Structures are given as C-alpha cells and as structure tokens.
Amino acid sequence: MTKNIRSLFGQRVRQIRLSKNNMSQEKLAFECDLHRTYISDIERGTRNVSLDNIEKISKALEVEPKDLFDFTTID
Amino acid sequence: MTKNIRSLFGQRVRQIRLSKNNMSQEKLAFECDLHRTYISDIERGTRNVSLDNIEKISKALEVEPKDLFDFTTID
C-alpha cells in the first residue's frame, strides 16, 4: 500500500524539524503560530494540510515549500 | 510584495497543465475528479488547496507533488 501524501508530508516535516537542532514540536508550533497538537497531528499524517499552513511551516523551518514534498529520503 | 503560495501554486499548475499538450482545464478537472471552476480558481490563486487535492492534481498531471512547488520558472 503506497503511503498517502498526508503521511509522507508529516514524516518529512518531522524529519526536517529534527534536523534543525532537534527543534521541538512546541517551538515549531510557536514559529508557525499554530497549535502544538496540530503539528503533532500533521506529523502523524492525520491532517489535510492546506497551502497557507504549508507556507507557514516552510518559513518556520526555513526551507522552500518544495523541500517539504521531497520524499526521497522517507522510508 | 512577494507572491503568496496560493498564487505561485496556481501559476505552476497552469504552467504544467499547458505543457501537457495544452491540456484543458476541463480535462484536468475530469482527471482529478474535481470541478472545472475549482481548477480555474486554483490557477487564479484564490484557493487554499489541501494535501489530498494536491495529490490528485499531481497524479492527473503525472508529476511529483514537489514539482507543483517548484516556482523557479514562475515570473
């Protein structure tokens, strides 16, 4: 069963977050002005994230939006 | 004023759609199982598109989701 985009996107957000000096979900949530539980849900692949929040997350992680969709290093 | 992600994403969808033998909005809408006016709104940058529809559009255009976020050739 190929993974769906919610799951892949969530894993990628988590991967990049941890690569930023082990940034916490709390810190990412604060930087994005989103709730921590929402970040947790995103990383667990349960949220149908929209463009505006994708933009907030990419800015907070200091990556380009397309980097959040690079699933090549997701197993 | 830097363009927001809705506008960039819309222009990129349009750019890729036209690169596919001038695919019409009707054909893309049909392939995505979305309404044509929704595709038109997306391309005009007025829709806060979510992951599930991003996945449908990338499959219909036969590109990777990350290609929809490559804004390097958007002026």
Side-chain angles (χ1 to χ4, degrees), chain A residues 3-6 9 47-52 54-55 65-66 69-72, chain B residues 3-6 9 47-52 54-55 65-66 69-72:
Chain A
K3 283 188 183 167
N4 66 30
I5 196 168
R6 296 187 194 193
F9 180 82
R47 290 287 181 162
N48 192 18
V49 191
S50 64
L51 289 176
D52 292 353
I54 289 167
E55 184 165 50
K66 67 180 176 187
F69 290 90
D70 181 359
F71 304 142
T72 46
Chain B
K3 282 188 182 168
N4 67 30
I5 195 168
R6 295 187 194 195
F9 180 82
R47 290 288 180 161
N48 192 17
V49 190
S50 64
L51 289 176
D52 291 354
I54 288 167
E55 185 165 50
K66 68 180 177 187
F69 289 90
D70 180 359
F71 305 142
T72 45

PDB file of all heavy atoms in Angstrom, chain A residues 3-6 9 47-52 54-55 65-66 69-72, chain B residues 3-6 9 47-52 54-55 65-66 69-72:
ATOM      1  N   LYS A   3       2.170   4.869   0.526  1.00  0.00           N
ATOM      2  CA  LYS A   3       1.781   5.841   1.558  1.00  0.00           C
ATOM      3  C   LYS A   3       1.068   7.006   0.901  1.00  0.00           C
ATOM      4  O   LYS A   3       1.459   7.465  -0.162  1.00  0.00           O
ATOM      5  CB  LYS A   3       3.029   6.320   2.276  1.00  0.00           C
ATOM      6  CG  LYS A   3       3.575   5.333   3.288  1.00  0.00           C
ATOM      7  CD  LYS A   3       4.706   5.962   4.097  1.00  0.00           C
ATOM      8  CE  LYS A   3       5.292   4.943   5.070  1.00  0.00           C
ATOM      9  NZ  LYS A   3       6.563   5.393   5.637  1.00  0.00           N
ATOM     10  N   ASN A   4       0.066   7.580   1.615  1.00  0.00           N
ATOM     11  CA  ASN A   4      -0.589   8.739   1.027  1.00  0.00           C
ATOM     12  C   ASN A   4       0.196  10.003   1.370  1.00  0.00           C
ATOM     13  O   ASN A   4       1.108   9.995   2.202  1.00  0.00           O
ATOM     14  CB  ASN A   4      -2.048   8.828   1.492  1.00  0.00           C
ATOM     15  CG  ASN A   4      -2.143   9.113   2.990  1.00  0.00           C
ATOM     16  OD1 ASN A   4      -1.286   9.753   3.572  1.00  0.00           O
ATOM     17  ND2 ASN A   4      -3.208   8.632   3.607  1.00  0.00           N
ATOM     18  N   ILE A   5      -0.199  11.090   0.744  1.00  0.00           N
ATOM     19  CA  ILE A   5       0.573  12.330   0.835  1.00  0.00           C
ATOM     20  C   ILE A   5       0.550  12.903   2.252  1.00  0.00           C
ATOM     21  O   ILE A   5       1.521  13.489   2.707  1.00  0.00           O
ATOM     22  CB  ILE A   5       0.058  13.364  -0.204  1.00  0.00           C
ATOM     23  CG1 ILE A   5       1.079  14.476  -0.404  1.00  0.00           C
ATOM     24  CG2 ILE A   5      -1.322  13.890   0.169  1.00  0.00           C
ATOM     25  CD1 ILE A   5       0.790  15.377  -1.603  1.00  0.00           C
ATOM     26  N   ARG A   6      -0.554  12.678   3.004  1.00  0.00           N
ATOM     27  CA  ARG A   6      -0.615  13.204   4.380  1.00  0.00           C
ATOM     28  C   ARG A   6       0.471  12.567   5.233  1.00  0.00           C
ATOM     29  O   ARG A   6       1.158  13.234   6.013  1.00  0.00           O
ATOM     30  CB  ARG A   6      -1.974  12.906   5.011  1.00  0.00           C
ATOM     31  CG  ARG A   6      -3.155  13.573   4.352  1.00  0.00           C
ATOM     32  CD  ARG A   6      -4.412  13.332   5.168  1.00  0.00           C
ATOM     33  NE  ARG A   6      -5.625  13.658   4.444  1.00  0.00           N
ATOM     34  CZ  ARG A   6      -6.822  13.776   5.040  1.00  0.00           C
ATOM     35  NH1 ARG A   6      -6.936  13.590   6.326  1.00  0.00           N
ATOM     36  NH2 ARG A   6      -7.891  14.076   4.334  1.00  0.00           N
ATOM     37  N   PHE A   9       4.027  13.688   3.885  1.00  0.00           N
ATOM     38  CA  PHE A   9       4.266  15.088   4.263  1.00  0.00           C
ATOM     39  C   PHE A   9       4.582  15.193   5.758  1.00  0.00           C
ATOM     40  O   PHE A   9       5.545  15.879   6.136  1.00  0.00           O
ATOM     41  CB  PHE A   9       3.033  15.932   3.918  1.00  0.00           C
ATOM     42  CG  PHE A   9       3.168  17.390   4.250  1.00  0.00           C
ATOM     43  CD1 PHE A   9       3.836  18.252   3.388  1.00  0.00           C
ATOM     44  CD2 PHE A   9       2.648  17.904   5.430  1.00  0.00           C
ATOM     45  CE1 PHE A   9       3.967  19.604   3.680  1.00  0.00           C
ATOM     46  CE2 PHE A   9       2.776  19.256   5.738  1.00  0.00           C
ATOM     47  CZ  PHE A   9       3.433  20.104   4.858  1.00  0.00           C
ATOM     48  N   ARG A  47      -3.646  15.027   9.138  1.00  0.00           N
ATOM     49  CA  ARG A  47      -4.220  16.312   8.779  1.00  0.00           C
ATOM     50  C   ARG A  47      -4.105  16.591   7.275  1.00  0.00           C
ATOM     51  O   ARG A  47      -3.070  16.321   6.667  1.00  0.00           O
ATOM     52  CB  ARG A  47      -3.486  17.444   9.520  1.00  0.00           C
ATOM     53  CG  ARG A  47      -3.740  17.484  11.012  1.00  0.00           C
ATOM     54  CD  ARG A  47      -5.137  17.991  11.311  1.00  0.00           C
ATOM     55  NE  ARG A  47      -5.409  18.053  12.746  1.00  0.00           N
ATOM     56  CZ  ARG A  47      -6.406  18.777  13.248  1.00  0.00           C
ATOM     57  NH1 ARG A  47      -7.174  19.504  12.467  1.00  0.00           N
ATOM     58  NH2 ARG A  47      -6.619  18.766  14.550  1.00  0.00           N
ATOM     59  N   ASN A  48      -5.154  17.131   6.730  1.00  0.00           N
ATOM     60  CA  ASN A  48      -5.179  17.500   5.315  1.00  0.00           C
ATOM     61  C   ASN A  48      -4.726  18.956   5.191  1.00  0.00           C
ATOM     62  O   ASN A  48      -5.514  19.859   4.962  1.00  0.00           O
ATOM     63  CB  ASN A  48      -6.601  17.316   4.768  1.00  0.00           C
ATOM     64  CG  ASN A  48      -6.644  17.397   3.260  1.00  0.00           C
ATOM     65  OD1 ASN A  48      -5.620  17.259   2.589  1.00  0.00           O
ATOM     66  ND2 ASN A  48      -7.826  17.639   2.704  1.00  0.00           N
ATOM     67  N   VAL A  49      -3.424  19.156   5.346  1.00  0.00           N
ATOM     68  CA  VAL A  49      -2.836  20.495   5.482  1.00  0.00           C
ATOM     69  C   VAL A  49      -3.056  21.319   4.215  1.00  0.00           C
ATOM     70  O   VAL A  49      -2.971  20.785   3.099  1.00  0.00           O
ATOM     71  CB  VAL A  49      -1.326  20.388   5.790  1.00  0.00           C
ATOM     72  CG1 VAL A  49      -0.743  21.741   6.191  1.00  0.00           C
ATOM     73  CG2 VAL A  49      -1.064  19.374   6.903  1.00  0.00           C
ATOM     74  N   SER A  50      -3.292  22.622   4.397  1.00  0.00           N
ATOM     75  CA  SER A  50      -3.563  23.477   3.232  1.00  0.00           C
ATOM     76  C   SER A  50      -2.349  24.365   2.925  1.00  0.00           C
ATOM     77  O   SER A  50      -1.428  24.479   3.726  1.00  0.00           O
ATOM     78  CB  SER A  50      -4.748  24.374   3.555  1.00  0.00           C
ATOM     79  OG  SER A  50      -4.380  25.236   4.625  1.00  0.00           O
ATOM     80  N   LEU A  51      -2.434  25.015   1.751  1.00  0.00           N
ATOM     81  CA  LEU A  51      -1.303  25.810   1.258  1.00  0.00           C
ATOM     82  C   LEU A  51      -0.846  26.854   2.285  1.00  0.00           C
ATOM     83  O   LEU A  51       0.350  27.020   2.524  1.00  0.00           O
ATOM     84  CB  LEU A  51      -1.683  26.508  -0.051  1.00  0.00           C
ATOM     85  CG  LEU A  51      -1.833  25.646  -1.286  1.00  0.00           C
ATOM     86  CD1 LEU A  51      -2.298  26.493  -2.471  1.00  0.00           C
ATOM     87  CD2 LEU A  51      -0.535  24.916  -1.648  1.00  0.00           C
ATOM     88  N   ASP A  52      -1.774  27.559   2.880  1.00  0.00           N
ATOM     89  CA  ASP A  52      -1.384  28.635   3.806  1.00  0.00           C
ATOM     90  C   ASP A  52      -0.556  28.083   4.967  1.00  0.00           C
ATOM     91  O   ASP A  52       0.459  28.675   5.352  1.00  0.00           O
ATOM     92  CB  ASP A  52      -2.620  29.361   4.343  1.00  0.00           C
ATOM     93  CG  ASP A  52      -3.347  30.158   3.267  1.00  0.00           C
ATOM     94  OD1 ASP A  52      -2.829  30.257   2.129  1.00  0.00           O
ATOM     95  OD2 ASP A  52      -4.461  30.657   3.552  1.00  0.00           O
ATOM     96  N   ILE A  54       1.084  25.195   4.871  1.00  0.00           N
ATOM     97  CA  ILE A  54       2.325  24.677   4.265  1.00  0.00           C
ATOM     98  C   ILE A  54       3.339  25.820   4.185  1.00  0.00           C
ATOM     99  O   ILE A  54       4.518  25.654   4.517  1.00  0.00           O
ATOM    100  CB  ILE A  54       2.037  24.075   2.873  1.00  0.00           C
ATOM    101  CG1 ILE A  54       1.266  22.759   3.018  1.00  0.00           C
ATOM    102  CG2 ILE A  54       3.341  23.873   2.086  1.00  0.00           C
ATOM    103  CD1 ILE A  54       0.659  22.239   1.713  1.00  0.00           C
ATOM    104  N   GLU A  55       2.846  27.018   3.806  1.00  0.00           N
ATOM    105  CA  GLU A  55       3.750  28.178   3.704  1.00  0.00           C
ATOM    106  C   GLU A  55       4.293  28.556   5.081  1.00  0.00           C
ATOM    107  O   GLU A  55       5.495  28.797   5.232  1.00  0.00           O
ATOM    108  CB  GLU A  55       2.992  29.364   3.088  1.00  0.00           C
ATOM    109  CG  GLU A  55       3.850  30.589   2.838  1.00  0.00           C
ATOM    110  CD  GLU A  55       3.170  31.596   1.915  1.00  0.00           C
ATOM    111  OE1 GLU A  55       1.996  31.942   2.171  1.00  0.00           O
ATOM    112  OE2 GLU A  55       3.803  31.997   0.921  1.00  0.00           O
ATOM    113  N   PRO A  65       8.970  25.528   0.122  1.00  0.00           N
ATOM    114  CA  PRO A  65       7.830  24.620   0.166  1.00  0.00           C
ATOM    115  C   PRO A  65       8.114  23.294  -0.553  1.00  0.00           C
ATOM    116  O   PRO A  65       7.744  22.221  -0.062  1.00  0.00           O
ATOM    117  CB  PRO A  65       6.727  25.418  -0.538  1.00  0.00           C
ATOM    118  CG  PRO A  65       7.074  26.850  -0.260  1.00  0.00           C
ATOM    119  CD  PRO A  65       8.578  26.896  -0.284  1.00  0.00           C
ATOM    120  N   LYS A  66       8.835  23.347  -1.672  1.00  0.00           N
ATOM    121  CA  LYS A  66       9.069  22.093  -2.413  1.00  0.00           C
ATOM    122  C   LYS A  66       9.897  21.100  -1.599  1.00  0.00           C
ATOM    123  O   LYS A  66       9.761  19.885  -1.773  1.00  0.00           O
ATOM    124  CB  LYS A  66       9.746  22.372  -3.752  1.00  0.00           C
ATOM    125  CG  LYS A  66      11.169  22.898  -3.684  1.00  0.00           C
ATOM    126  CD  LYS A  66      11.741  23.130  -5.088  1.00  0.00           C
ATOM    127  CE  LYS A  66      13.120  23.753  -5.011  1.00  0.00           C
ATOM    128  NZ  LYS A  66      13.615  24.135  -6.365  1.00  0.00           N
ATOM    129  N   PHE A  69       8.065  18.555   0.194  1.00  0.00           N
ATOM    130  CA  PHE A  69       7.462  17.493  -0.639  1.00  0.00           C
ATOM    131  C   PHE A  69       8.525  16.608  -1.274  1.00  0.00           C
ATOM    132  O   PHE A  69       8.245  15.854  -2.203  1.00  0.00           O
ATOM    133  CB  PHE A  69       6.556  18.128  -1.704  1.00  0.00           C
ATOM    134  CG  PHE A  69       5.304  18.730  -1.145  1.00  0.00           C
ATOM    135  CD1 PHE A  69       5.271  20.055  -0.738  1.00  0.00           C
ATOM    136  CD2 PHE A  69       4.172  17.941  -0.973  1.00  0.00           C
ATOM    137  CE1 PHE A  69       4.116  20.588  -0.181  1.00  0.00           C
ATOM    138  CE2 PHE A  69       3.017  18.473  -0.423  1.00  0.00           C
ATOM    139  CZ  PHE A  69       2.996  19.805  -0.022  1.00  0.00           C
ATOM    140  N   ASP A  70       9.776  16.718  -0.774  1.00  0.00           N
ATOM    141  CA  ASP A  70      10.841  15.838  -1.273  1.00  0.00           C
ATOM    142  C   ASP A  70      10.840  14.584  -0.401  1.00  0.00           C
ATOM    143  O   ASP A  70      11.409  14.569   0.689  1.00  0.00           O
ATOM    144  CB  ASP A  70      12.185  16.563  -1.194  1.00  0.00           C
ATOM    145  CG  ASP A  70      13.316  15.680  -1.727  1.00  0.00           C
ATOM    146  OD1 ASP A  70      13.023  14.522  -2.119  1.00  0.00           O
ATOM    147  OD2 ASP A  70      14.463  16.125  -1.742  1.00  0.00           O
ATOM    148  N   PHE A  71      10.197  13.539  -0.890  1.00  0.00           N
ATOM    149  CA  PHE A  71      10.004  12.336  -0.076  1.00  0.00           C
ATOM    150  C   PHE A  71      11.077  11.271  -0.342  1.00  0.00           C
ATOM    151  O   PHE A  71      10.939  10.128   0.099  1.00  0.00           O
ATOM    152  CB  PHE A  71       8.609  11.758  -0.364  1.00  0.00           C
ATOM    153  CG  PHE A  71       7.487  12.735  -0.136  1.00  0.00           C
ATOM    154  CD1 PHE A  71       6.376  12.758  -0.981  1.00  0.00           C
ATOM    155  CD2 PHE A  71       7.530  13.664   0.896  1.00  0.00           C
ATOM    156  CE1 PHE A  71       5.326  13.652  -0.792  1.00  0.00           C
ATOM    157  CE2 PHE A  71       6.493  14.565   1.107  1.00  0.00           C
ATOM    158  CZ  PHE A  71       5.388  14.560   0.261  1.00  0.00           C
ATOM    159  N   THR A  72      12.144  11.679  -1.073  1.00  0.00           N
ATOM    160  CA  THR A  72      13.147  10.684  -1.481  1.00  0.00           C
ATOM    161  C   THR A  72      13.840  10.028  -0.285  1.00  0.00           C
ATOM    162  O   THR A  72      14.292   8.882  -0.379  1.00  0.00           O
ATOM    163  CB  THR A  72      14.214  11.348  -2.392  1.00  0.00           C
ATOM    164  OG1 THR A  72      14.602  12.585  -1.794  1.00  0.00           O
ATOM    165  CG2 THR A  72      13.632  11.616  -3.779  1.00  0.00           C
TER     166      THR A  72
ATOM    167  N   LYS B   3       4.901  37.177  -3.898  1.00  0.00           N
ATOM    168  CA  LYS B   3       3.669  36.452  -4.209  1.00  0.00           C
ATOM    169  C   LYS B   3       3.412  35.419  -3.130  1.00  0.00           C
ATOM    170  O   LYS B   3       4.332  34.766  -2.653  1.00  0.00           O
ATOM    171  CB  LYS B   3       3.805  35.760  -5.560  1.00  0.00           C
ATOM    172  CG  LYS B   3       3.630  36.699  -6.739  1.00  0.00           C
ATOM    173  CD  LYS B   3       3.579  35.921  -8.030  1.00  0.00           C
ATOM    174  CE  LYS B   3       3.463  36.885  -9.208  1.00  0.00           C
ATOM    175  NZ  LYS B   3       3.687  36.197 -10.474  1.00  0.00           N
ATOM    176  N   ASN B   4       2.125  35.203  -2.775  1.00  0.00           N
ATOM    177  CA  ASN B   4       1.875  34.169  -1.771  1.00  0.00           C
ATOM    178  C   ASN B   4       1.802  32.802  -2.436  1.00  0.00           C
ATOM    179  O   ASN B   4       1.757  32.690  -3.673  1.00  0.00           O
ATOM    180  CB  ASN B   4       0.614  34.487  -0.962  1.00  0.00           C
ATOM    181  CG  ASN B   4      -0.633  34.393  -1.837  1.00  0.00           C
ATOM    182  OD1 ASN B   4      -0.692  33.620  -2.795  1.00  0.00           O
ATOM    183  ND2 ASN B   4      -1.623  35.195  -1.512  1.00  0.00           N
ATOM    184  N   ILE B   5       1.772  31.779  -1.615  1.00  0.00           N
ATOM    185  CA  ILE B   5       1.889  30.400  -2.115  1.00  0.00           C
ATOM    186  C   ILE B   5       0.678  30.004  -2.962  1.00  0.00           C
ATOM    187  O   ILE B   5       0.805  29.260  -3.928  1.00  0.00           O
ATOM    188  CB  ILE B   5       2.110  29.419  -0.936  1.00  0.00           C
ATOM    189  CG1 ILE B   5       2.609  28.069  -1.449  1.00  0.00           C
ATOM    190  CG2 ILE B   5       0.843  29.269  -0.095  1.00  0.00           C
ATOM    191  CD1 ILE B   5       3.136  27.145  -0.355  1.00  0.00           C
ATOM    192  N   ARG B   6      -0.516  30.582  -2.646  1.00  0.00           N
ATOM    193  CA  ARG B   6      -1.695  30.240  -3.453  1.00  0.00           C
ATOM    194  C   ARG B   6      -1.494  30.687  -4.904  1.00  0.00           C
ATOM    195  O   ARG B   6      -1.810  29.963  -5.859  1.00  0.00           O
ATOM    196  CB  ARG B   6      -2.932  30.930  -2.897  1.00  0.00           C
ATOM    197  CG  ARG B   6      -3.343  30.489  -1.504  1.00  0.00           C
ATOM    198  CD  ARG B   6      -4.670  31.109  -1.130  1.00  0.00           C
ATOM    199  NE  ARG B   6      -4.972  31.008   0.289  1.00  0.00           N
ATOM    200  CZ  ARG B   6      -6.189  31.226   0.803  1.00  0.00           C
ATOM    201  NH1 ARG B   6      -7.192  31.556   0.035  1.00  0.00           N
ATOM    202  NH2 ARG B   6      -6.396  31.120   2.100  1.00  0.00           N
ATOM    203  N   PHE B   9       1.433  28.602  -6.543  1.00  0.00           N
ATOM    204  CA  PHE B   9       0.968  27.232  -6.822  1.00  0.00           C
ATOM    205  C   PHE B   9       0.022  27.226  -8.028  1.00  0.00           C
ATOM    206  O   PHE B   9       0.164  26.394  -8.932  1.00  0.00           O
ATOM    207  CB  PHE B   9       0.262  26.673  -5.583  1.00  0.00           C
ATOM    208  CG  PHE B   9      -0.252  25.278  -5.730  1.00  0.00           C
ATOM    209  CD1 PHE B   9       0.599  24.196  -5.546  1.00  0.00           C
ATOM    210  CD2 PHE B   9      -1.575  25.028  -6.063  1.00  0.00           C
ATOM    211  CE1 PHE B   9       0.144  22.892  -5.698  1.00  0.00           C
ATOM    212  CE2 PHE B   9      -2.045  23.729  -6.201  1.00  0.00           C
ATOM    213  CZ  PHE B   9      -1.185  22.663  -6.026  1.00  0.00           C
ATOM    214  N   ARG B  47      -7.570  29.731  -4.136  1.00  0.00           N
ATOM    215  CA  ARG B  47      -7.966  28.584  -3.327  1.00  0.00           C
ATOM    216  C   ARG B  47      -6.847  28.120  -2.393  1.00  0.00           C
ATOM    217  O   ARG B  47      -5.685  28.063  -2.798  1.00  0.00           O
ATOM    218  CB  ARG B  47      -8.338  27.395  -4.240  1.00  0.00           C
ATOM    219  CG  ARG B  47      -9.620  27.576  -5.017  1.00  0.00           C
ATOM    220  CD  ARG B  47     -10.825  27.474  -4.120  1.00  0.00           C
ATOM    221  NE  ARG B  47     -12.084  27.637  -4.840  1.00  0.00           N
ATOM    222  CZ  ARG B  47     -13.261  27.237  -4.352  1.00  0.00           C
ATOM    223  NH1 ARG B  47     -13.311  26.634  -3.172  1.00  0.00           N
ATOM    224  NH2 ARG B  47     -14.366  27.432  -5.030  1.00  0.00           N
ATOM    225  N   ASN B  48      -7.206  27.798  -1.168  1.00  0.00           N
ATOM    226  CA  ASN B  48      -6.264  27.290  -0.183  1.00  0.00           C
ATOM    227  C   ASN B  48      -6.241  25.762  -0.283  1.00  0.00           C
ATOM    228  O   ASN B  48      -6.786  25.057   0.554  1.00  0.00           O
ATOM    229  CB  ASN B  48      -6.698  27.754   1.212  1.00  0.00           C
ATOM    230  CG  ASN B  48      -5.624  27.522   2.257  1.00  0.00           C
ATOM    231  OD1 ASN B  48      -4.464  27.315   1.912  1.00  0.00           O
ATOM    232  ND2 ASN B  48      -5.995  27.538   3.526  1.00  0.00           N
ATOM    233  N   VAL B  49      -5.601  25.273  -1.334  1.00  0.00           N
ATOM    234  CA  VAL B  49      -5.653  23.864  -1.713  1.00  0.00           C
ATOM    235  C   VAL B  49      -5.034  22.979  -0.619  1.00  0.00           C
ATOM    236  O   VAL B  49      -4.025  23.347  -0.008  1.00  0.00           O
ATOM    237  CB  VAL B  49      -4.915  23.631  -3.053  1.00  0.00           C
ATOM    238  CG1 VAL B  49      -5.170  22.224  -3.586  1.00  0.00           C
ATOM    239  CG2 VAL B  49      -5.349  24.661  -4.090  1.00  0.00           C
ATOM    240  N   SER B  50      -5.626  21.814  -0.421  1.00  0.00           N
ATOM    241  CA  SER B  50      -5.130  20.919   0.637  1.00  0.00           C
ATOM    242  C   SER B  50      -4.380  19.725   0.033  1.00  0.00           C
ATOM    243  O   SER B  50      -4.430  19.485  -1.174  1.00  0.00           O
ATOM    244  CB  SER B  50      -6.324  20.395   1.431  1.00  0.00           C
ATOM    245  OG  SER B  50      -7.116  19.606   0.558  1.00  0.00           O
ATOM    246  N   LEU B  51      -3.701  18.998   0.931  1.00  0.00           N
ATOM    247  CA  LEU B  51      -2.833  17.903   0.502  1.00  0.00           C
ATOM    248  C   LEU B  51      -3.567  16.896  -0.387  1.00  0.00           C
ATOM    249  O   LEU B  51      -3.030  16.465  -1.416  1.00  0.00           O
ATOM    250  CB  LEU B  51      -2.259  17.170   1.721  1.00  0.00           C
ATOM    251  CG  LEU B  51      -1.217  17.906   2.542  1.00  0.00           C
ATOM    252  CD1 LEU B  51      -0.826  17.067   3.771  1.00  0.00           C
ATOM    253  CD2 LEU B  51       0.033  18.239   1.722  1.00  0.00           C
ATOM    254  N   ASP B  52      -4.758  16.503  -0.019  1.00  0.00           N
ATOM    255  CA  ASP B  52      -5.468  15.471  -0.792  1.00  0.00           C
ATOM    256  C   ASP B  52      -5.675  15.930  -2.230  1.00  0.00           C
ATOM    257  O   ASP B  52      -5.474  15.155  -3.170  1.00  0.00           O
ATOM    258  CB  ASP B  52      -6.819  15.143  -0.139  1.00  0.00           C
ATOM    259  CG  ASP B  52      -6.660  14.424   1.207  1.00  0.00           C
ATOM    260  OD1 ASP B  52      -5.506  14.076   1.564  1.00  0.00           O
ATOM    261  OD2 ASP B  52      -7.666  14.248   1.901  1.00  0.00           O
ATOM    262  N   ILE B  54      -3.881  18.314  -3.722  1.00  0.00           N
ATOM    263  CA  ILE B  54      -2.549  18.447  -4.302  1.00  0.00           C
ATOM    264  C   ILE B  54      -2.123  17.084  -4.868  1.00  0.00           C
ATOM    265  O   ILE B  54      -1.593  16.993  -5.989  1.00  0.00           O
ATOM    266  CB  ILE B  54      -1.541  18.948  -3.236  1.00  0.00           C
ATOM    267  CG1 ILE B  54      -1.801  20.420  -2.913  1.00  0.00           C
ATOM    268  CG2 ILE B  54      -0.097  18.740  -3.707  1.00  0.00           C
ATOM    269  CD1 ILE B  54      -1.085  20.924  -1.657  1.00  0.00           C
ATOM    270  N   GLU B  55      -2.436  16.022  -4.136  1.00  0.00           N
ATOM    271  CA  GLU B  55      -2.078  14.668  -4.602  1.00  0.00           C
ATOM    272  C   GLU B  55      -2.860  14.321  -5.874  1.00  0.00           C
ATOM    273  O   GLU B  55      -2.271  13.809  -6.843  1.00  0.00           O
ATOM    274  CB  GLU B  55      -2.384  13.643  -3.502  1.00  0.00           C
ATOM    275  CG  GLU B  55      -1.944  12.224  -3.842  1.00  0.00           C
ATOM    276  CD  GLU B  55      -1.930  11.314  -2.623  1.00  0.00           C
ATOM    277  OE1 GLU B  55      -2.935  11.274  -1.879  1.00  0.00           O
ATOM    278  OE2 GLU B  55      -0.891  10.651  -2.394  1.00  0.00           O
ATOM    279  N   PRO B  65       4.458  15.570  -6.463  1.00  0.00           N
ATOM    280  CA  PRO B  65       3.932  16.733  -5.741  1.00  0.00           C
ATOM    281  C   PRO B  65       4.969  17.867  -5.632  1.00  0.00           C
ATOM    282  O   PRO B  65       4.647  19.038  -5.794  1.00  0.00           O
ATOM    283  CB  PRO B  65       3.588  16.162  -4.363  1.00  0.00           C
ATOM    284  CG  PRO B  65       3.251  14.727  -4.639  1.00  0.00           C
ATOM    285  CD  PRO B  65       4.176  14.306  -5.740  1.00  0.00           C
ATOM    286  N   LYS B  66       6.229  17.491  -5.412  1.00  0.00           N
ATOM    287  CA  LYS B  66       7.239  18.558  -5.242  1.00  0.00           C
ATOM    288  C   LYS B  66       7.394  19.401  -6.500  1.00  0.00           C
ATOM    289  O   LYS B  66       7.726  20.595  -6.408  1.00  0.00           O
ATOM    290  CB  LYS B  66       8.595  17.987  -4.835  1.00  0.00           C
ATOM    291  CG  LYS B  66       9.303  17.157  -5.882  1.00  0.00           C
ATOM    292  CD  LYS B  66      10.632  16.637  -5.356  1.00  0.00           C
ATOM    293  CE  LYS B  66      11.309  15.741  -6.383  1.00  0.00           C
ATOM    294  NZ  LYS B  66      12.520  15.083  -5.841  1.00  0.00           N
ATOM    295  N   PHE B  69       5.515  22.523  -6.584  1.00  0.00           N
ATOM    296  CA  PHE B  69       6.011  23.602  -5.711  1.00  0.00           C
ATOM    297  C   PHE B  69       7.354  24.132  -6.192  1.00  0.00           C
ATOM    298  O   PHE B  69       8.049  24.827  -5.453  1.00  0.00           O
ATOM    299  CB  PHE B  69       6.103  23.083  -4.266  1.00  0.00           C
ATOM    300  CG  PHE B  69       4.771  22.878  -3.640  1.00  0.00           C
ATOM    301  CD1 PHE B  69       4.126  21.659  -3.742  1.00  0.00           C
ATOM    302  CD2 PHE B  69       4.133  23.931  -2.992  1.00  0.00           C
ATOM    303  CE1 PHE B  69       2.872  21.484  -3.181  1.00  0.00           C
ATOM    304  CE2 PHE B  69       2.882  23.758  -2.424  1.00  0.00           C
ATOM    305  CZ  PHE B  69       2.244  22.523  -2.523  1.00  0.00           C
ATOM    306  N   ASP B  70       7.747  23.770  -7.432  1.00  0.00           N
ATOM    307  CA  ASP B  70       8.996  24.317  -7.986  1.00  0.00           C
ATOM    308  C   ASP B  70       8.653  25.618  -8.709  1.00  0.00           C
ATOM    309  O   ASP B  70       8.192  25.616  -9.851  1.00  0.00           O
ATOM    310  CB  ASP B  70       9.599  23.298  -8.962  1.00  0.00           C
ATOM    311  CG  ASP B  70      10.912  23.828  -9.554  1.00  0.00           C
ATOM    312  OD1 ASP B  70      11.282  24.967  -9.197  1.00  0.00           O
ATOM    313  OD2 ASP B  70      11.528  23.112 -10.344  1.00  0.00           O
ATOM    314  N   PHE B  71       8.869  26.726  -8.031  1.00  0.00           N
ATOM    315  CA  PHE B  71       8.435  28.021  -8.554  1.00  0.00           C
ATOM    316  C   PHE B  71       9.559  28.762  -9.294  1.00  0.00           C
ATOM    317  O   PHE B  71       9.411  29.944  -9.617  1.00  0.00           O
ATOM    318  CB  PHE B  71       7.912  28.897  -7.403  1.00  0.00           C
ATOM    319  CG  PHE B  71       6.823  28.256  -6.578  1.00  0.00           C
ATOM    320  CD1 PHE B  71       6.753  28.425  -5.209  1.00  0.00           C
ATOM    321  CD2 PHE B  71       5.863  27.438  -7.184  1.00  0.00           C
ATOM    322  CE1 PHE B  71       5.751  27.827  -4.443  1.00  0.00           C
ATOM    323  CE2 PHE B  71       4.848  26.830  -6.431  1.00  0.00           C
ATOM    324  CZ  PHE B  71       4.789  27.032  -5.055  1.00  0.00           C
ATOM    325  N   THR B  72      10.656  28.036  -9.575  1.00  0.00           N
ATOM    326  CA  THR B  72      11.825  28.713 -10.156  1.00  0.00           C
ATOM    327  C   THR B  72      11.530  29.310 -11.534  1.00  0.00           C
ATOM    328  O   THR B  72      12.153  30.285 -11.941  1.00  0.00           O
ATOM    329  CB  THR B  72      13.007  27.720 -10.283  1.00  0.00           C
ATOM    330  OG1 THR B  72      12.520  26.488 -10.837  1.00  0.00           O
ATOM    331  CG2 THR B  72      13.603  27.428  -8.906  1.00  0.00           C
TER     332      THR B  72
END
